[in-house]
Amino acid sequence: MVSFLCSTKSLFIFFIISAIPVAYIISVERAEPSTHVYHYHSSGWLRECAKWDDLDRRFIVSLFEGGVALVEVPDGHSPGTILEEIIVVKEPELAGNASLGIAVDRRRNRVLVVNADVMRNRYGSLAAYDRSTWRRLFLSQLSGPGDEKSFADDVAVDEEGNAYVTDAKANKIWKVGVDGEILSIIRSPLFTPKEWYKTLVGLNGVVYHPNGYLLVIHTFSGNLLKIEIEKEEVKLVKVGGGKLVFGDGLELISPTKLVVAGNPSGRLVESSDEWETATVTAKYSGPAHRLATAATVKDGKVYLNHLLGMGYPRKTHALVEAVFSAY
């Protein structure tokens, strides 16, 4: 927990939590949820990311204390039944680092996981695991003590198996090859806003678009960026209809629709011109005290992962269905 409180991103989250009245939290936790929720028991307080694995009917969850877990959803699951977290990856050599962004590479039957030193910003890596056996395929160090401070955060994978990892502190993107080799580092002046206070948490959620480019959110500025990966050309998407400030995890639900998790819980963004421009068309406000950090799609429905677990000694986490309403 100490490491969580020592990073800029984490201090911001702590500030938001401390501003929420305890009575409000209790009332929300006791109230009947307005949408479907998967609750699951966990040994940890913090879960940064969850992605739905449709092949094996389970959520794959990253552990803030480091590692990967599964939350299996049996057929005929009752909404009132609390599921259980099953840890499948726990790497001693990565002790002290948080596991953050996840990408499921179905074509190669593997899962990519970002690891980072959230306290000192002196280590970042990308690990790949076999989706069936959880055997580690590679572990690629992205940054170390001799490098600039960085915060490896989220990951997306393209059709060729190349991975793209965002750096929320130094505002860059590592491109990692299918076998774990670092191919390049993408930088751009557009990654760094002029205002200092908008640089506290930078490049965050990232998705790969099937037409061959990345979409990336910059958390504190709310900027949505389009990156042509062949040319490594960066453009600022002109977004209307609302702001994307505090955007975190992204999920592309169709070539023209993007979900941005964050504050509020989720926003729906749409584009009809290959993401040269876009419009915020709808939003969803869920349990704000739990802090939505990632989005995933299960059976055509969007679910938001929430960072904070509630309860003691067993923590209960929530994956909440996001039903969007127009602005």
Side-chain angles (χ1 to χ4, degrees):
M1 190 67 175
V2 173
S3 63
F4 167 68
L5 296 177
C6 290
S7 70
T8 303
K9 181 177 180 180
S10 303
L11 285 171
F12 168 71
I13 292 171
F14 180 75
F15 172 78
I16 294 296
I17 296 169
S18 64
I20 301 175
V22 173
Y24 167 79
I25 294 176
I26 294 173
S27 67
V28 171
E29 286 295 310
R30 289 180 174 177
E32 187 71 22
S34 60
T35 64
H36 182 258
V37 180
Y38 288 106
H39 286 108
Y40 67 93
H41 282 142
S42 167
S43 60
W45 290 108
L46 307 173
R47 297 293 177 260
E48 172 77 8
C49 185
K51 293 296 180 181
W52 176 246
D53 178 6
D54 56 335
L55 296 177
D56 284 322
R57 308 293 298 171
R58 61 195 184 180
F59 290 99
I60 301 174
V61 181
S62 62
L63 314 182
F64 208 87
E65 64 271 25
V68 180
L70 303 178
V71 178
E72 297 179 345
V73 181
D75 293 337
H77 168 258
S78 171
T81 303
I82 299 179
L83 302 169
E84 297 294 329
E85 177 185 89
I86 303 168
I87 296 176
V88 292
V89 172
K90 197 72 174 176
E91 304 245 34
E93 65 188 281
L94 292 175
N97 296 292
S99 295
L100 303 171
I102 293 174
V104 181
D105 185 359
R106 292 172 177 81
R107 178 174 293 187
R108 295 161 194 85
N109 195 47
R110 62 181 188 164
V111 176
L112 303 174
V113 182
V114 176
N115 304 285
D117 172 4
V118 299
M119 181 172 66
R120 297 171 299 174
N121 302 143
R122 288 300 191 187
Y123 178 84
S125 67
L126 178 69
Y129 301 94
D130 183 280
R131 195 188 58 83
S132 302
T133 65
W134 296 100
R135 178 177 63 89
R136 192 173 77 189
L137 304 175
F138 67 73
L139 176 64
S140 297
Q141 183 171 326
L142 305 174
S143 63
D147 303 320
E148 65 179 342
K149 286 191 175 184
S150 63
F151 195 132
D153 197 324
D154 201 7
V155 60
V157 61
D158 67 19
E159 297 291 340
E160 304 301 320
N162 300 310
Y164 302 86
V165 181
T166 55
D167 183 344
K169 184 170 184 64
N171 288 310
K172 61 181 183 290
I173 297 173
W174 291 278
K175 181 178 180 179
V176 181
V178 67
D179 295 317
E181 68 279 17
I182 297 178
L183 299 179
S184 66
I185 296 177
I186 304 172
R187 299 180 186 267
S188 170
L190 292 177
F191 290 165
T192 306
K194 295 179 181 178
E195 302 89 342
W196 68 268
Y197 55 88
K198 291 184 179 180
T199 65
L200 295 177
V201 181
L203 299 183
N204 199 329
V206 57
V207 291
Y208 173 75
H209 193 282
N211 290 343
Y213 50 85
L214 303 176
L215 294 172
V216 183
I217 190 71
H218 187 286
T219 294
F220 263 40
S221 71
N223 288 340
L224 184 64
L225 300 137
K226 175 182 178 180
I227 303 169
E228 300 283 357
I229 58 178
E230 290 297 325
K231 302 176 182 177
E232 297 189 352
E233 180 180 83
V234 181
K235 297 180 181 178
L236 182 66
V237 180
K238 298 178 181 179
V239 178
K243 296 183 181 298
L244 299 178
V245 176
F246 304 142
D248 198 333
L250 304 181
E251 183 75 2
L252 200 64
I253 59 177
S254 79
T256 62
K257 294 183 179 181
L258 178 74
V259 173
V260 181
N263 181 30
S265 299
R267 283 156 284 189
L268 182 64
V269 187
E270 301 187 44
S271 175
S272 58
D273 60 1
E274 291 289 348
W275 297 94
E276 296 294 317
T277 65
T279 303
V280 182
T281 58
K283 66 178 180 178
Y284 167 73
S285 295
H289 63 288
R290 283 185 176 265
L291 300 176
T293 54
T296 191
V297 176
K298 176 188 179 293
D299 301 332
K301 298 178 180 180
V302 175
Y303 284 84
L304 299 178
N305 175 80
H306 288 75
L307 180 69
L308 295 176
M310 297 288 170
Y312 185 84
R314 301 187 75 190
K315 294 79 177 173
T316 301
H317 286 266
L319 296 161
V320 182
E321 181 188 357
V323 177
F324 294 94
S325 58
Y327 267 105

